[in-house]
Structures are given as C-alpha cells and as structure tokens.
Amino acid sequence: METQWLAFAFAALMVTLAPGPDTFLVIGNALSGGVRRGLATVAGILTGGLFHVALFAFGVARLLMYSERAFWTIKMLGAGYLAWLGVKALRSAFAARVEADPAAAIEPSPRPSLWRSYAQGVLTNALNPKIAIFYLAFLPQFLAPGPDMAMQSIAMIAMHYAIGTVWLSLLVIGASRMAGAVRSTRVARALDGVIGAMMLGFGAKLACSSR
C-alpha cells in the first residue's frame, strides 16, 4: 500500500511539473499583479480541483467518459475560455505597444481584482474535462481493491492538488520577484504575447482533442 502511494506521489509530481494552462495563468497573474493575485489564482485552481473531486465522488466524471455530447459541451466551453484568456493577453500585448508610442493617449486599464484572478483559476481548471477523464484512466492502476476505493481515489486526487498547490505557490513567489524586471514595456509586451499564444494553443489543443 505504501509503495502504491509513493508511486502515485511521484507520478503526480511529474504531471504537475509539466506546464499547462494553470501554470501560465498563475505566472501571468503573478507577474502583472504580484503575490496576492498569483495566490488568488492558485486558490481558484484548488477550488476547481475540489469540483473535480466532487465529480469523481458522485460518478459524474464517468458521464463525461461515456457521453460524447456531455464531454464535447464541457470541452468546448473550456477551449473557448482558454481562447478568450489568450485573446485578452494578446490584446494587452498590443495595448502595451500602443502605449509605448508617445503620440498615443490611451489610459492604462485598471488592474484586475483578486476576485477576478480567483475566478480565472476556478474556470481554467473546472472547465477542462480532460482532467476528470485523466483521473478515471490514471487512478485505477494505483488503487487497492476494496470497499474504500472511493475514499482512496478522493485522497489521491487531493494529494495531487496539494502537490500542485505547493508547486504553483513556488511559481508565484518566483514570478512576483521577477515582476520588477518586467516593468519595461518591451518585456511586458513579449510576456503577454507568449502567454496569450500559449493559452490559444492550449485552447486549440483541447478543442481538437478527442479524449
């Protein structure tokens, strides 16, 4: 049993370290808004994880696996949201370029609130049906047969999100310390462009995926 948990912890760590939409969202918000916005985003992602735990516990995740329509609907909502975040980042990159022109008189947009950062984290995580499908396919190989399999599953998902929370929080600290170095309009524009392109890429990948 201990070997199974250690194996799962290692596998969960490897999955966590692989960059995804959550990673780039956290880095972007921490760079632009500091530690508080970064941690608010992490809290939102953790809440999205609780949503997936509930789906798994109540068996709703199996519906996503066997119902093409349900999976497609959630998948397209998630892809659309990631694309929207990508477009917003690219627009921010373009706006920064315009503001660099002394002839342009554009007011800088207000900084997003902590609540908005939190909501972004929730939606980015909760609207990704591939997470639920991943757990259905991934967890069984680490579970011991018995009446407590459901509780084991929930505990392992919770462990995965605990590892993810620690990793994302470290990214927040690192990104916030780099925030001073990206005050330059050129650097900020480049980062917005990279994050926007990555979000669009993740959205397109999710929309085009089958399972």
Side-chain angles (χ1 to χ4, degrees):
M1 189 66 180
E2 291 181 359
T3 303
Q4 290 172 318
W5 280 88
L6 287 173
F8 175 79
F10 178 76
L13 177 62
M14 294 300 100
V15 171
T16 299
L17 294 179
D22 292 347
T23 304
F24 285 94
L25 180 64
V26 166
I27 291 174
N29 282 349
L31 283 172
S32 62
V35 172
R36 294 181 64 194
R37 272 195 63 202
L39 291 180
T41 310
V42 174
I45 291 168
L46 182 59
T47 303
L50 295 177
F51 174 76
H52 285 291
V53 170
L55 289 185
F56 200 92
F58 291 106
V60 180
R62 291 191 176 275
L63 175 65
L64 296 177
M65 176 172 280
Y66 297 113
S67 171
E68 284 292 333
R69 179 171 296 181
F71 181 84
W72 184 88
T73 300
I74 301 299
K75 180 181 73 169
M76 296 310 294
L77 286 172
Y81 183 69
L82 290 176
W84 180 71
L85 289 177
V87 169
K88 280 190 64 179
L90 290 176
R91 286 182 61 188
S92 177
F94 176 76
R97 180 184 303 175
V98 173
E99 287 168 12
D101 181 0
I106 298 179
E107 288 187 21
S109 57
R111 298 176 69 179
S113 65
L114 295 180
W115 169 250
R116 183 178 299 180
S117 298
Y118 172 80
Q120 287 176 343
V122 173
L123 292 174
T124 299
N125 196 273
L127 289 180
N128 189 351
K130 293 181 73 70
I131 295 177
I133 302 300
F134 167 77
Y135 284 134
L136 284 174
F138 184 67
L139 282 181
Q141 58 189 307
F142 298 99
L143 297 175
D148 61 341
M149 282 186 66
M151 291 305 299
Q152 289 181 49
S153 302
I154 294 173
M156 285 186 173
I157 295 174
M159 176 190 285
H160 183 200
Y161 272 91
I163 293 172
T165 299
V166 172
W167 170 241
L168 292 176
S169 298
L170 291 174
L171 288 180
V172 167
I173 295 171
S176 62
R177 289 184 176 180
M178 292 173 57
V182 300
R183 303 285 178 173
S184 163
T185 301
R186 180 178 298 177
V187 176
R189 183 172 69 237
L191 285 171
D192 281 336
V194 169
I195 291 172
M198 293 301 298
M199 286 298 187
L200 285 176
F202 285 126
K205 182 179 179 182
L206 179 59
C208 296
S209 64
S210 55
R211 285 291 178 182

